[in-house]
Amino acid sequence: MKPETIDLDALETAARQLDPDARERARLMKAVFAYADRYLESLPDQPAYFDRPDNGRALRETPIPEEGIGLDAALELLRQHVDTVGINPTSGRFLGYIPGGGLFHAALGDFLAAVTNRYAGVFFAGPGAVRIENLLIRWMARLAGYPETAAGYLAAGGSLANLTAIVTARDDRGLEGDAIARAVVYFTEHVHHSVNKALRLAGLRRLARRRIPVDTRYRMDAAALERAIEADRRAGLAPWMVIASAGTTNTGSVDPLDTIGQIAAAHGLWYHIDAAYGGFFALCEDGAALLRGMNRSDSLVMDPHKTLFLPYGTGALLVRDGQKLHAAHAAEADYLQDTYADGGDETELSPADLSPELTKHFRGLRLWLPLQVVGLAPFRAALAEKLLLARYFHERMRSVDGFEVGPAPDLSVVIYRYVPPRGDADAFNERLAEALRRDGRIFVSSTRLNGQFWLRMAAVGFRTHREDIDTAIEVLERTARRLAAL
């Protein structure tokens, strides 16, 4: 026997550890499911924030081993240093930022997508996966009121989706060279920070940015927008894009989408709406009324990992004229010639031709499976519940001594703060936020509005119900009183 044959046999024996047999798979699955089950069953008793000063530092001292430590030991590392550190976004009392979900049905979809490893970038390679993702895009487009010409893709999140929209608008309007310095984009100070980042990444640093004033409810002042556009035209500049927010991160406010759309159309601007947080509230009656005008946009971002409660890493971009998205992102390569020769299905565009991604995880399965298994009704109910919970929290906090609240919520974010009888309110609320993190029972985040320090309550998680809001109010009141007494 040749030496290389012996080497191959030994290598094959070692490599086969990567392909466990049925018995080993059953053992592994049992351990993983038991871990997940314990985690989910313990959630009601878990804090919303784990105050761990070490922040899982021991993981830095855990080397990647030559010989494995086994699943049980690896799961214990997760338990000790990942799942009990920092914020707990799966808790019903996690009320900070715009929380994600962790929907169990979606986790099953992720598991199946990972096991089958279907490729969702090119139709030739994964026609079923691409059909599912395109079906989801068409469903979202109908929800937004877009025509049949629309196209889009499932992105890794709203930041990448915003960048893709800006690149599409840049290329469609031929924005390059000296034209960049004359072009103008319009948005409010509450636009998501990913927009400014996207403008920079898209090579538009020299672009003029106009921050349009907001009204008392933190919504864009449409009249001020029109005045700014007209002033820029008179100054010889070239208004290019207006970006509206359908649910700002700061306050949950929804800009006057319909009116802004009319202004954008009248002046020939590309109209982009960041509805990453708020877009799916169109599934319920109150939300649909508030979001009227989404259909006027040229591009739209919606994040299923926010208000469809999916795991992080699930955003979506829609473009009214799908050919513009295709023109900005399609590319060819010799090593992909087989995918072109197949011919495919002209009704099914490949996500790789509509996005920056070529290698693309089948992330659509984490959305398609829950929608097929439980249907839309539970999602509609959960979203309507979140709108009511925000109104409930706002009304309750108005009557809690010492607290002031911001405007009535458009969606499910409420801003509020404690005003002590003496001393600096900003410093007090910073201490209050810190005390709440140390307590851990609830997690709230903070922001600054007009230079003032405010706290935020975001009711977005599908596990957040009235009892969680009641707990939050109780913890807020008692903690504030304790600090005030000091």
Side-chain angles (χ1 to χ4, degrees):
M1 186 176 291
K2 295 181 179 181
E4 57 266 28
T5 304
I6 299 174
D7 291 341
L8 279 174
D9 289 343
L11 292 172
E12 179 180 333
T13 298
R16 281 187 177 276
Q17 294 179 73
L18 302 176
D19 189 16
D21 60 20
R23 177 178 294 182
E24 179 64 3
R25 289 196 302 271
R27 186 187 72 82
L28 295 172
M29 285 295 298
K30 182 178 179 181
V32 168
F33 185 82
Y35 180 93
D37 201 46
R38 285 194 298 271
Y39 176 85
L40 293 174
E41 287 298 311
S42 69
L43 268 180
D45 300 319
Q46 292 283 359
Y49 182 81
F50 296 92
D51 186 27
R52 287 265 304 274
D54 66 287
N55 287 321
R57 192 178 299 113
L59 288 172
R60 297 186 60 176
E61 301 161 7
T62 306
I64 301 299
E66 185 64 27
E67 301 296 332
I69 63 174
L71 181 60
D72 291 341
L75 290 176
E76 183 58 21
L77 287 174
L78 278 179
R79 187 192 68 79
Q80 290 185 22
H81 306 299
V82 177
D83 293 332
T84 54
V85 179
I87 62 175
N88 181 6
T90 52
S91 168
R93 287 167 278 104
F94 175 62
L95 306 170
Y97 308 114
I98 303 293
L103 199 66
F104 185 75
H105 304 83
L108 298 178
D110 268 356
F111 171 75
L112 293 173
V115 167
T116 60
N117 200 31
R118 291 296 173 218
Y119 174 57
V122 176
F123 182 82
F124 164 79
V130 169
R131 286 188 192 279
I132 278 181
E133 296 212 347
N134 286 347
L135 178 149
L136 293 167
I137 290 296
R138 287 192 290 270
W139 168 67
M140 293 181 208
R142 287 193 298 272
L143 182 64
Y146 270 16
E148 291 298 316
T149 57
Y153 83 106
L154 292 179
S159 296
L160 186 58
N162 276 325
L163 171 61
T164 309
I166 285 170
V167 167
T168 302
R170 178 200 67 187
D171 288 6
D172 179 65
R173 301 300 169 91
L175 202 56
E176 58 185 6
D178 292 339
I180 295 175
R182 293 181 55 250
V184 190
V185 62
Y186 305 85
F187 46 69
T188 76
E189 64 177 312
H190 300 284
V191 73
H192 195 271
H193 80 281
S194 67
V195 166
N196 279 302
K197 183 176 181 179
L199 291 169
R200 186 175 75 247
L201 293 174
L204 302 176
R205 287 178 182 270
R206 294 185 297 149
L207 190 79
R209 295 169 171 83
R210 298 284 183 264
R211 286 173 171 77
I212 304 302
V214 295
D215 62 18
T216 57
R217 300 189 67 173
Y218 303 103
R219 300 163 168 171
M220 182 185 289
D221 182 336
L225 168 66
E226 187 151 36
R227 289 194 297 271
I229 294 171
E230 291 171 346
D232 284 332
R233 285 211 188 279
R234 288 194 299 270
L237 298 176
W240 164 60
M241 171 186 270
V242 56
I243 301 176
S245 298
T248 62
T249 301
N250 257 355
T251 64
S253 302
V254 177
D255 290 332
L257 305 179
D258 199 47
T259 304
I260 294 171
Q262 294 176 42
I263 294 170
H267 292 276
L269 275 68
W270 184 284
Y271 182 26
H272 177 66
I273 296 178
D274 183 352
Y277 156 49
F280 286 108
F281 281 103
L283 285 169
C284 54
E285 187 176 349
D286 286 355
L290 189 64
L291 296 168
R292 187 170 62 87
M294 284 201 301
N295 62 308
R296 291 184 178 273
S297 62
D298 294 291
S299 52
L300 176 75
V301 169
M302 305 170 79
D303 275 4
H305 69 206
K306 291 184 173 69
T307 37
L308 286 185
F309 320 119
L310 298 192
Y312 293 124
T314 325
L317 170 67
L318 306 172
V319 176
R320 166 185 288 277
D321 184 346
Q323 288 304 312
K324 294 180 178 181
L325 182 62
H326 186 272
H329 292 90
E332 296 184 355
D334 291 339
Y335 51 80
L336 294 175
Q337 63 185 13
D338 301 318
T339 70
Y340 314 136
D342 174 69
D345 181 339
E346 63 181 14
T347 66
E348 298 289 359
L349 296 173
S350 293
D353 289 333
L354 304 170
S355 75
E357 299 181 72
L358 175 59
T359 301
K360 189 173 183 303
H361 169 62
F362 184 18
R363 60 175 65 97
L365 193 52
R366 63 168 62 166
L367 174 55
W368 180 84
L369 190 66
L371 290 176
Q372 292 294 334
V373 172
V374 303
L376 280 171
F379 291 93
R380 293 187 199 276
L383 289 168
E385 179 193 29
K386 302 306 167 270
L387 294 177
L388 292 177
L389 286 177
R391 297 169 193 171
Y392 174 75
F393 178 86
H394 184 268
E395 188 62 30
R396 286 279 312 274
M397 290 300 291
R398 288 178 60 187
S399 62
V400 177
D401 188 44
F403 280 91
E404 68 171 327
V405 295
D410 282 347
L411 296 174
S412 64
V413 173
V414 178
I415 56 169
Y416 61 99
R417 67 181 195 149
Y418 188 83
V419 182
R422 56 188 175 277
D424 182 73
D426 286 352
F428 184 93
N429 282 279
E430 287 188 51
R431 292 197 302 274
L432 176 57
E434 182 181 356
L436 292 170
R437 285 193 293 272
R438 289 197 303 269
D439 178 276
R441 281 176 290 173
I442 65 171
F443 180 83
V444 299
S445 55
S446 64
T447 190
R448 285 193 178 272
L449 296 167
N450 300 321
Q452 294 181 328
F453 191 98
W454 287 79
L455 301 176
R456 297 170 61 259
M457 190 288 295
V460 182
F462 66 95
R463 293 189 178 96
T464 299
H465 305 295
R466 182 162 53 185
E467 64 180 345
D468 301 300
I469 300 300
D470 288 338
T471 297
I473 294 170
E474 179 184 354
V475 171
L476 282 165
E477 184 175 11
R478 289 187 177 184
T479 306
R481 284 180 177 174
R482 177 172 59 80
L483 290 179
L486 294 176

